Amino acid sequence: MLSRVHLITDTRFGRDPLSLVPAALEAGVDAVQVRVKELGDRAALAVVGKAVALCARYGATCIVDDRLDVALAAGAHGVHLGADDLPVARARAVAGPGLLIGATVRDPASARAAVVDGASYLGTGPAYVTGTKGGLPAPIGVAGVEAVCAAVDVPVIAIGG
């Protein structure tokens, strides 16, 4: 079962993406999404490999943001794909049935399409205004999150804010 609270790491501004992971796992977070957008392939693989090992110690799920190749190479539990990333259906074809594949959606129609394409879970939002990522569309609020949840039978994680 996918957890209800995910820690999403950050490498922006030179941050160590794993600096908060041990404390979060110790506090009970049981899913970590590792963002390694600014890192090259080898560096991303090294960071994700460490995150996978940390998560294993706590029985937590490790998901890689955007990078199916890194998720598979590092032995992560899953990958989360945004609107501009590899299409869910292609990722599912490459990864097979065992890998968790998350998809970012904003409305019931895109939610249903992502599930048909093979998404294991959905991230929807931004639920509220957030400053963690630039260029985001307007927040969808609680009503938008509820509409996505009602449209599908896979877990839905509200993101943003």
Side-chain angles (χ1 to χ4, degrees), residues 126-139:
Y128 300 102
V129 174
T130 179
T132 61
K133 190 175 181 182
L136 292 175

Side-chain angles (χ1 to χ4, degrees), residues 2-8 33 80 103-105 121-128 130 140-146 148-149 155-161:
L2 195 63
S3 74
R4 297 169 64 82
V5 177
H6 292 211
L7 170 69
I8 301 177
Q33 184 181 131
H80 188 88
T104 298
V105 300
Y121 76 94
L122 304 173
T124 191
Y128 300 102
T130 179
I140 63 172
V142 173
V145 173
E146 287 175 341
V148 169
C149 290
V156 177
I157 308 297
I159 57 175

Side-chain angles (χ1 to χ4, degrees), residues 33 37 64-68 79-91 102-104 133:
Q33 184 181 131
K37 294 176 187 275
V64 180
D65 187 54
D66 299 341
R67 299 288 305 272
L68 177 62
V79 65
H80 188 88
L81 302 171
D84 294 328
D85 297 329
L86 190 65
V88 171
R90 295 290 177 103
T104 298
K133 190 175 181 182

